[in-house]
Amino acid sequence: MKILHLISIASVSILLFASCNFESFEKRCAREAEEYTTRHCPRRMNKYTVMDSLTFNPETKTFGYYYTLEGDLDNDSIITNEIADSFREQLKKELINSVELKAYKEKELNFAYIYLSQSTGKVRFKTVFTPQDYNTGNRVGGKH
């Protein structure tokens, strides 16, 4: 009987200790976004674009990808409605086809892409994708 009691106490202790070490999915997302930013940002994406940071907002369940536009793309006349629509569709296709984001998409998170002007700091382009946008049931632009 004494052995069963000790085993019970040990089991409860292990469960309590383990539960203290588990982080919520939202806290994990925030931590991973911060770690990504620390390790990889700023990151030059191309001649005109730098990724500044990745954030996670637990209230809105949104990952935020922040970029800075430089040079020729840092211009009010470059991002027309037509260009913005095309760019949004390209980002959406990349999100739908992303294997790396599968676990986050399964949790139905939102994904925001924010492009800021290097010269003025103002938002040049912003779009947010919700689960309704990326849960199409199949991949876009490739093999299914």
Side-chain angles (χ1 to χ4, degrees):
M1 200 61 150
K2 194 173 187 179
I3 292 177
L4 286 175
H5 183 67
L6 289 174
I7 291 173
S8 295
I9 290 173
S11 297
V12 169
S13 297
I14 289 170
L15 286 174
L16 286 174
F17 177 75
S19 67
C20 292
N21 290 323
F22 286 120
E23 61 185 340
S24 69
F25 183 73
E26 287 80 11
K27 285 185 179 180
R28 184 182 119 201
C29 290
R31 178 182 51 78
E32 289 176 352
E34 185 177 332
E35 289 173 357
Y36 183 90
T37 298
T38 301
R39 286 188 201 135
H40 301 288
C41 296
R43 179 180 178 191
R44 178 146 306 274
M45 305 305 288
N46 58 44
K47 184 177 177 181
Y48 305 107
T49 312
V50 173
M51 182 176 184
D52 299 312
S53 65
L54 173 62
T55 64
F56 182 75
N57 181 327
E59 288 82 31
T60 61
K61 295 185 177 185
T62 304
F63 275 108
Y65 294 84
Y66 287 85
Y67 299 90
T68 296
L69 295 176
E70 304 174 340
D72 293 341
L73 289 184
D74 188 8
N75 182 320
D76 286 332
S77 64
I78 293 293
I79 302 180
T80 63
N81 287 339
E82 185 178 315
I83 297 290
D85 290 344
S86 175
F87 188 48
R88 184 180 194 285
E89 284 305 308
Q90 182 60 38
L91 287 170
K92 181 179 171 181
K93 285 178 185 177
E94 289 175 13
L95 178 60
I96 289 169
N97 291 322
S98 174
V99 175
E100 295 83 12
L101 298 176
K102 183 179 184 223
Y104 304 113
K105 292 186 295 185
E106 287 174 349
K107 292 288 189 174
E108 298 193 331
L109 300 181
N110 301 308
F111 299 87
Y113 297 85
I114 303 97
Y115 290 78
L116 305 168
S117 165
Q118 180 186 38
S119 60
T120 66
K122 77 176 188 176
V123 175
R124 293 239 182 253
F125 176 82
K126 178 180 179 180
T127 190
V128 179
F129 297 107
T130 66
Q132 293 77 21
D133 295 315
Y134 61 78
N135 281 336
T136 62
N138 59 27
R139 292 181 167 205
V140 176
K143 293 182 180 180
H144 301 292

